Amino acid sequence: MSHSWAARPPHPVLRGLVTRYIGYAQENVTLEVHRGLPSRHVTLVISLAEPIHYTGLPGEGPLQSVVGGLHTAPALITQDRTQRGIQLELDPLGVRTLLGVTAAELTGRVTDLADFGPDLANLPYRLAEAPDWRTRFAIIDDTLAARAVEPTQPPPELDRAWHQLRTSGGRLRVSDLASEVGWSRRHLGERFRTELGLAPKQAARILRFERAATLLRSGTRDLATVAYSAGYYDQAHFSNEWRAMAGCSPRTWITEELPFLQDNPAGAEPESAT
């Protein structure tokens, strides 16, 4: 299998709304079903090849471009031999500005990008005609920047709580998080569910899982070390959580999925189109 990628952060006007763009191109892919893992991001995927076939989350399909909401179970994607496209990592609290809906309205499902306006509906075709990754990323910058002219700001307490929870890797107690932002635990839970579609404990669970996935991708293979570093009680707790959120054991994921993945560094300069 041949694999190339390009990644960079968005234009500065989009910082806080989008974490990064990742362009990818794979040939002779032999993994028939890919497990899309839970993460802190709402994921926007635009295929520059065949439409995307999601089977693990509710929603329409196949689609040329999809928005995947936050989820706590694997999103199963049927793969063609050729995979080529762009993935955007959207901050959940920035979704209201970029797409006109809350992240909560997207949670646990996939939605056609075309549902959010003609400018986004045309984006896959414009990107497919572009000659290289640099040009494609510039097109995305322009399209999203036009939507960020009047950003919809979340309550500062919620923004701070989400930031603190992310920074802790999901280790902060909900009661401590509520006290830190000056809300009751109940009110914090209500605002999380209204904006993100998840309770704070569910969001923390995703963050711990994401930390564990990052450690596995970076080469850490001792599961006890991964469990401790990611904030799990012990290796058994980690393994049970991994099965629930990835749909397989950690060892199975390492064997089946990891060879097809690269931990693309944010901020990498885009390569020329392949």
Side-chain angles (χ1 to χ4, degrees), residues 37-56:
L37 301 183
S39 81
R40 72 186 67 192
H41 295 105
V42 169
T43 304
L44 194 167
V45 182
I46 300 169
S47 175
L48 303 178
E50 295 300 315
I52 305 164
H53 299 259
Y54 274 90
T55 59

Side-chain angles (χ1 to χ4, degrees), residues 72-74 205 209 235-251:
T72 57
R205 187 179 172 211
F209 174 85
Q235 184 176 332
H237 180 212
F238 162 61
S239 295
N240 288 336
E241 280 289 272
W242 189 275
R243 287 187 181 90
M245 301 185 80
C248 64
S249 71
R251 296 294 183 194

Side-chain angles (χ1 to χ4, degrees), residues 10 14 17-24 41-46 66 68 85-91 98 113 120 123 127 137 140-141 144:
L14 298 169
L17 302 174
V18 185
T19 299
R20 63 174 173 171
Y21 308 145
I22 305 169
Y24 58 89
H41 295 105
V42 169
T43 304
L44 194 167
V45 182
I46 300 169
V66 299
I86 299 176
Q87 177 175 313
L88 283 69
E89 298 172 339
L90 310 182
D91 187 279
L98 295 175
L113 181 63
L120 297 180
L123 196 53
L127 296 176
F137 292 161
I140 296 173
D141 275 341
L144 297 186

Side-chain angles (χ1 to χ4, degrees), residues 51-126:
I52 305 164
H53 299 259
Y54 274 90
T55 59
L57 293 178
E60 304 174 66
L63 298 170
Q64 200 66 35
S65 53
V66 299
V67 178
L70 298 176
H71 52 103
T72 57
L76 305 180
I77 305 167
T78 302
Q79 298 195 125
D80 297 304
R81 296 278 292 182
T82 297
Q83 299 288 316
R84 195 161 180 261
I86 299 176
Q87 177 175 313
L88 283 69
E89 298 172 339
L90 310 182
D91 187 279
L93 295 185
V95 166
R96 190 192 289 267
T97 293
L98 295 175
L99 302 181
V101 298
T102 64
E105 296 173 73
L106 306 171
T107 298
R109 61 179 294 108
V110 295
T111 306
D112 190 345
L113 181 63
D115 290 350
F116 302 104
D119 56 335
L120 297 180
N122 292 330
L123 196 53
Y125 309 104
R126 295 177 63 198

Side-chain angles (χ1 to χ4, degrees), residues 188-267:
L188 178 68
E190 290 174 349
R191 293 313 304 256
F192 257 74
R193 283 186 287 269
T194 297
E195 290 293 328
L196 277 73
L198 299 172
K201 277 191 174 182
Q202 291 175 301
R205 187 179 172 211
I206 289 174
L207 292 168
R208 289 192 298 271
F209 174 85
E210 187 178 53
R211 169 62 177 160
T214 297
L215 289 168
L216 291 177
R217 289 189 183 194
S218 68
T220 305
R221 294 292 178 270
D222 184 274
L223 299 187
T225 298
V226 172
Y228 175 79
S229 299
Y232 293 98
Y233 298 124
D234 52 29
Q235 184 176 332
H237 180 212
F238 162 61
S239 295
N240 288 336
E241 280 289 272
W242 189 275
R243 287 187 181 90
M245 301 185 80
C248 64
S249 71
R251 296 294 183 194
T252 297
W253 185 83
I254 289 170
T255 300
E256 294 182 358
E257 295 272 356
L258 195 54
F260 294 88
L261 301 174
Q262 290 187 356
D263 192 21
N264 306 331

Side-chain angles (χ1 to χ4, degrees), residues 165-187:
L165 193 60
R166 294 196 321 266
T167 301
S168 74
R171 293 184 180 217
L172 270 180
R173 294 166 57 92
V174 176
S175 56
D176 292 340
L177 187 61
S179 296
E180 185 167 335
V181 301
W183 282 350
S184 69
R185 179 170 177 167
R186 178 177 179 179
H187 186 63

